[in-house]
Amino acid sequence: MLKGFKDFLLRGNVLDLAVAVVIGTAFTAIVTAFTTNIISPLIAAIGGSDLGWGKEIIDGNAATFVNIGAVVTAIINFVIIAAVVYFVLVLPANAAKARFATVKEDKKASETDLLIQIRDILAEGRIGDSSPSSDGKHTQIDD
């Protein structure tokens, strides 16, 4: 169990993951500032009051305020982050992988396939084989 964890750590994916988390956190701060300072005021202006898109369930009790504008802002925040991650990171990475990836060899034959091929070759006598003669010495058999 620990060997598998050690292999996971040493593969290099952990470093990539750490970089992604740091960049994601920094980008999230930018998008949050954008949505808080630009999108939220626009939603509040559309809502027609200082409260924006929301309603107090019990009048005069601020604790019962349902803030739909904040939910819409969070959804916009998520869509912006997802779009940027896809178009800036995922799409170029997939394109680079497709462009620079080496062509893999054909499907590796399984042991059974290889044994079948060897059997067929031996049965057909197509292979130059050295087989022991009756005196124990090897003689070459050519096609």
Side-chain angles (χ1 to χ4, degrees):
M1 182 167 72
L2 290 178
K3 182 185 181 318
F5 181 68
K6 184 179 108 179
D7 292 343
F8 169 73
L9 289 177
L10 297 178
R11 261 196 314 219
N13 293 348
V14 174
L15 181 61
D16 295 341
L17 182 61
V19 169
V21 168
V22 170
I23 290 173
T25 302
F27 184 71
T28 299
I30 293 170
V31 173
T32 300
F34 173 76
T35 54
T36 301
N37 297 313
I38 295 174
I39 301 296
S40 291
L42 290 174
I43 291 173
I46 293 171
S49 68
D50 292 337
L51 299 176
W53 288 349
K55 175 115 175 105
E56 284 183 355
I57 296 172
I58 300 173
D59 289 331
N61 187 351
T64 63
F65 182 72
V66 177
N67 192 351
I68 297 171
V71 173
V72 171
T73 301
I75 291 169
I76 293 170
N77 193 0
F78 172 77
V79 169
I80 291 170
I81 291 173
V84 169
V85 166
Y86 179 76
F87 290 112
V88 173
L89 299 175
V90 173
L91 203 61
N94 288 342
K97 189 186 301 183
R99 182 175 181 198
F100 296 113
T102 59
V103 177
K104 291 186 178 182
E105 293 181 27
D106 290 69
K107 180 178 87 171
K108 289 188 175 183
S110 68
E111 285 184 26
T112 306
D113 293 336
L114 292 174
L115 289 173
I116 290 171
Q117 290 175 8
I118 292 169
R119 181 200 63 199
D120 293 344
I121 291 170
L122 290 174
E124 294 173 5
R126 297 184 314 183
I127 191 165
D129 190 14
S130 60
S131 58
S133 62
S134 59
D135 62 354
K137 295 183 182 177
H138 290 276
T139 57
Q140 183 72 28
I141 301 171
D142 293 321
D143 289 335

